[in-house]
Amino acid sequence: MISSQATTVKGPGSGKKLLSGARKIATSFAVILTTLLGLLVITFVIGRLVPADPVIAAIGDQADQVTYDRVYKEMGLDRPLYVQFGHYLADVVRLDFGQSHITKNTVSSDLARVFPATIELATLATLIGAGFGVPLGVISAVRKGTWVDHLGRVVGLLSYSTPIFWLGTIVILIFYAKFGLIPGGGRIDIYNEGLVEGPTGSLLLDSILAGEWEVFFSALHHVIAPALILGYAAMAYLSRMSRSFMLEQLRQEYILTARAKGLGQRAVVWRHAFRNIRVQLLTVVALAYCGLLDGTVLIETVFAWPGLGQYLTSALFFADMNAVLGSVLLIGMISIAINLLSDIVYRFIDPRTR
């Protein structure tokens, strides 16, 4: 009888929890769909407002008027805008971004070819930025007002005030042109091209899986300079945010209580204060990663890195709007996915968010 009563008491509560969880999932799903739809509208409008004629980009400026009119109709540009957007939306749902006028390949196949290189570069840069920026920010907060704190702030200020393309150019002039310590550009040495073709598209991971260590060190030699420059930019942002989060925690009462109980500095900082800023740090690391994905355009151009940034730059230069819109939409979708993934990870790091 007691068991039956417990069951009747527990049932409505668990039902409410399930209903609340379902509502949260439905709300998150609705927000994601709305964001994606807004992104689609923005990219479509940009594609129509950019002062570049897609017909001329496809057939050249030497074509006659008859050819121009035929291609104009084939592209559907003679239809109303809402009809064009409907076809655009249907194509995007099928991951069909049209054909690139530069490569003559589908934009989807081009993105599948170049995007792994950008992911590899941005991921390594984020690891460098977080690996140095977070400890630097924590130490600066713990030693506020000391020379360590001032040094960390100066390093961050230099990063904010230094244009990334200028820094990349200086690195090439010094370490490649003068000392020959880094390669001039590209992703791998010419004689190592095509030796490794793996499932991930990352030369570093695929060469390790294949046991091709010569290819691995060649790829590492090429990626380290642009990754360090991007990582330095991310490090400044992450160190500043880590310092701010840590200063707020160090002023809390539980920190004073822990110190009054005789806990050491390392335990107070890393076991107590740092644990309470992990969710905030996860947010800023995710934002930094998203920023690096669309911020690699300049650094990829400087280092001739065959990634999405260089592909997007070429598409803009030749008014290849299918490639431009596909690239922008891909970056937007990846950013949404990263933010969604960080929200999921929150629940495992901080039980209060469940």
Side-chain angles (χ1 to χ4, degrees):
M1 182 175 179
I2 296 176
S3 176
S4 176
Q5 290 177 353
T7 303
T8 57
V9 172
K10 185 179 179 180
S14 60
K16 289 181 179 180
K17 289 182 179 179
L18 290 175
L19 183 60
S20 176
R23 287 177 178 175
K24 289 181 179 179
I25 293 174
T27 301
S28 300
F29 188 68
V31 170
I32 293 172
L33 287 181
T34 304
T35 305
L36 285 174
L37 182 60
L39 182 61
L40 286 170
V41 171
I42 292 173
T43 54
F44 178 79
V45 171
I46 290 176
R48 295 299 180 268
L49 293 180
V50 170
D53 193 335
V55 179
I56 296 298
I59 64 177
D61 56 0
Q62 301 298 323
D64 55 26
Q65 188 64 35
V66 176
T67 304
Y68 181 92
D69 294 338
R70 177 177 57 82
V71 175
Y72 186 83
K73 292 182 179 180
E74 289 177 356
M75 288 184 172
L77 298 176
D78 59 327
R79 302 171 183 174
L81 281 178
Y82 66 89
V83 176
Q84 295 182 39
F85 179 74
H87 287 288
Y88 175 70
L89 181 60
D91 291 339
V92 169
V93 170
R94 299 194 304 268
L95 297 180
D96 181 9
F97 303 111
Q99 186 181 43
S100 170
H101 305 315
I102 303 175
T103 64
K104 304 304 179 183
N105 301 323
T106 61
V107 175
S108 300
S109 62
D110 283 343
L111 294 178
R113 174 177 53 85
V114 301
F115 194 57
T118 298
I119 288 288
E120 182 179 57
L121 178 58
T123 302
L124 185 58
T126 303
L127 292 175
I128 293 173
F132 288 96
V134 173
L136 179 61
V138 171
I139 295 173
S140 297
V142 173
R143 301 187 179 182
K144 179 183 177 182
T146 64
W147 67 270
V148 177
D149 184 23
H150 295 313
L151 179 62
R153 297 169 70 179
V154 168
V155 170
L157 182 61
L158 287 176
S159 175
Y160 280 116
S161 59
T162 304
I164 193 170
F165 66 89
W166 178 85
L167 184 59
T169 304
I170 294 300
V171 167
I172 288 179
L173 289 175
I174 295 176
F175 294 98
Y176 167 68
K178 186 172 181 61
F179 297 108
L181 297 177
I182 63 172
R187 196 179 178 192
I188 198 171
D189 293 326
I190 297 178
Y191 51 82
N192 285 321
E193 288 184 356
L195 295 181
V196 173
E197 293 182 0
T200 67
S202 168
L203 286 178
L204 295 176
L205 290 179
D206 292 339
S207 58
I208 292 176
L209 294 176
E212 294 285 348
W213 295 106
E214 182 179 352
V215 177
F216 170 79
F217 287 111
S218 175
L220 183 63
H221 191 206
H222 282 74
V223 75
I224 194 65
L228 282 173
I229 294 174
L230 286 174
Y232 176 57
M235 182 191 71
Y237 170 69
L238 294 175
S239 64
R240 182 172 64 87
M241 299 305 295
S242 300
R243 180 181 182 274
S244 177
F245 296 152
M246 203 65 183
L247 284 175
E248 182 181 357
Q249 291 298 318
L250 292 176
R251 290 192 291 263
Q252 300 298 318
E253 292 184 359
Y254 76 92
I255 295 296
L256 300 177
T257 303
R259 285 174 173 167
K261 289 182 177 180
L263 287 182
Q265 179 78 334
R266 180 176 297 181
V268 169
V269 172
W270 296 104
R271 192 185 305 169
H272 294 278
F274 185 76
R275 287 185 63 182
N276 286 331
I277 68 171
R278 289 181 301 175
V279 172
Q280 295 169 299
L281 283 179
L282 181 62
T283 302
V284 297
V285 169
L287 291 175
Y289 187 71
C290 294
L292 289 178
L293 284 177
D294 54 14
T296 57
V297 174
L298 293 176
I299 207 67
E300 286 187 6
T301 303
V302 172
F303 283 91
W305 186 261
L308 183 63
Q310 190 180 46
Y311 179 75
L312 179 58
T313 303
S314 300
L316 287 169
F317 184 78
F318 290 102
D320 189 353
M321 295 311 300
N322 286 338
V324 171
L325 296 182
S327 301
V328 172
L329 194 58
L330 177 61
I331 293 175
M333 290 190 294
I334 294 296
S335 299
I336 293 173
I338 291 174
N339 282 284
L340 178 62
L341 181 61
S342 64
D343 289 339
I344 296 174
V345 175
Y346 288 165
R347 299 177 177 270
F348 294 95
I349 294 180
D350 190 354
R352 294 173 297 180
T353 61
R354 297 173 187 172

